[in-house]
Amino acid sequence: WQAGQGQQALPHALRAARQEKQRSALSSAAFYYDICCRVRPEAQITLEYAKVLRLLGRNSEALDWLERVLQLPEVDPLRAEIHLWAGQIHRNLGQYAQAYEFAQRAWLHLVRLPIGRARELCPALLTLSLETCHEDLGALALFRLLGPRLPWLLRYARTDCVLHADLTIGVGMSLP
């Protein structure tokens, strides 16, 4: 590509990537996202690319792109979601200790998000935390994880029956 061509093609490649993803043509979407991320890496676009790679089963590549996106300056509003996705990939790979670490990082950044966005991510993060504690770390670690967060989590549990069930299970698992 000659200088400037990549920047001119970027909006078209991004539109194509999102359209292909919406049509479930994930390989094509990955191709266009790759172009976008190589021409001008942006946090939101790179996160979208990593999600497509995960859906394609290209977990190592997805983790590499998630690590790259954490280095970008505009990443802060997406940090909790990035850590959540990295944790989910590690969990799927059976790497429960790494998944737990990413879940812990996601919890730290979740409280900085607007309430609506935090509410969207909370159930998936709680599920990831429950699964990683159950598989690798045991009930004591789960108690340590949930204990300080219970007042915050209970605010959401009133309106979300799945989150309420996960919280009940989590607290029950953490009791001796």
Side-chain angles (χ1 to χ4, degrees), residues 143-173:
F143 180 74
R144 288 186 188 135
L145 171 73
L146 291 178
R149 293 179 175 89
L150 277 177
W152 188 81
L153 289 169
L154 287 172
R155 282 188 291 176
Y156 299 114
R158 284 180 256 184
T159 58
D160 186 334
C161 61
V162 173
L163 180 57
H164 187 13
D166 279 348
L167 267 175
T168 304
I169 291 167
V171 171
M173 287 172 54

Side-chain angles (χ1 to χ4, degrees), residues 70-147:
L70 286 170
Q71 307 307 315
L72 298 175
E74 77 275 10
V75 75
D76 277 344
L78 299 171
R79 202 171 287 277
E81 186 174 0
I82 293 165
H83 287 298
L84 171 62
W85 275 87
Q88 290 173 332
I89 292 170
H90 281 291
R91 180 206 54 214
N92 291 349
L93 294 171
Q95 301 166 345
Y96 296 106
Q98 293 94 327
Y100 178 78
E101 288 300 317
F102 276 102
Q104 289 297 304
R105 292 179 201 152
W107 281 114
L108 292 174
H109 296 286
L110 192 72
V111 296
R112 298 182 191 146
L113 293 178
I115 200 89
R117 186 66 185 135
R119 184 174 281 171
E120 290 172 16
L121 296 176
C122 192
L125 183 53
L126 181 60
T127 299
L128 175 64
S129 299
L130 290 170
E131 290 171 349
T132 57
C133 286
H134 173 69
E135 293 294 334
D136 193 54
L137 301 168
L140 184 57
L142 185 58
F143 180 74
R144 288 186 188 135
L145 171 73
L146 291 178

